[in-house]
Amino acid sequence: MTPEFSSNAGCTFDLLSPTDAQCLSERIVEFNSSRVPFTQPAPFTPIAYGFKNDRGDVLGGITATVYCWRVLCIDVLWVNEEYRGKGLGSKLLEAVENEARRMGCALAHLDTFDFQAKRFYLKHGYEIFGELGDCPPGHKRFFFKKVI
């Protein structure tokens, strides 16, 4: 159901297609670059590392992006439950931070929930700079940063 919208500007209001949504991302990247020039050749450089067993099953991994001004954003870090506590998560985090440093990054950030890895990131030198309560209901989402 589309909300009611009336405009004198000669435009309509509707859901966007994935292509149109991608256009929004491209426009904000152009705008950001026009205000604060990017300090890296490609605006977004993905990084991903992982561990697999002999069958090729993923046992753990990390995905991250170095964006625009050589800033590391860690998107996902996950380790299979039976392999937790064996140092795999620490090795993954160290690898992505080292790659980011090699690319000229000095700042990393991420978010996690209270039922995920808050203590893990604190142990690895990250500090909380924000907290969102009741997200999801009864829980908290934490935003972390670290100078790397």
Side-chain angles (χ1 to χ4, degrees):
M1 179 171 168
T2 306
E4 291 293 319
F5 176 76
S6 65
S7 170
N8 301 1
C11 60
T12 59
F13 178 85
D14 205 353
L15 293 172
L16 293 178
S17 70
T19 302
D20 291 337
Q22 178 61 37
C23 178
L24 293 178
S25 294
E26 292 167 3
R27 296 298 85 78
I28 196 67
V29 167
E30 288 173 8
F31 175 83
N32 290 347
S33 179
S34 75
R35 296 304 192 265
V36 181
F38 297 160
T39 58
Q40 62 188 59
F44 303 96
T45 304
I47 305 171
Y49 291 103
F51 290 100
K52 294 182 178 182
N53 64 15
D54 294 338
R55 295 187 314 261
D57 302 322
V58 176
L59 304 175
I62 189 167
T63 63
T65 304
V66 173
Y67 67 89
C68 305
W69 306 282
R70 300 182 194 278
V71 177
L72 174 66
C73 177
I74 297 171
D75 301 307
V76 174
L77 192 160
W78 174 82
V79 175
N80 182 298
E81 199 164 344
E82 67 182 84
Y83 289 88
R84 292 179 191 160
K86 300 179 188 233
L88 273 65
S90 296
K91 288 185 187 311
L92 291 164
L93 188 58
E94 181 183 354
V96 83
E97 288 176 351
N98 286 340
E99 179 65 13
R101 277 189 212 94
R102 188 193 65 70
M103 296 171 69
C105 295
L107 179 66
H109 66 87
L110 60 95
D111 66 87
T112 192
F113 295 96
D114 58 3
F115 54 86
Q116 289 180 326
K118 177 184 172 191
R119 289 183 317 182
F120 173 82
Y121 292 114
L122 289 169
K123 180 178 115 179
H124 286 85
Y126 284 79
E127 63 180 87
I128 297 170
F129 71 86
E131 180 181 312
L132 184 58
D134 225 21
C135 178
H139 293 277
K140 293 179 181 178
R141 188 173 193 170
F142 295 96
F143 298 86
F144 285 86
K145 68 177 181 174
K146 178 180 178 181
V147 174
I148 58 173

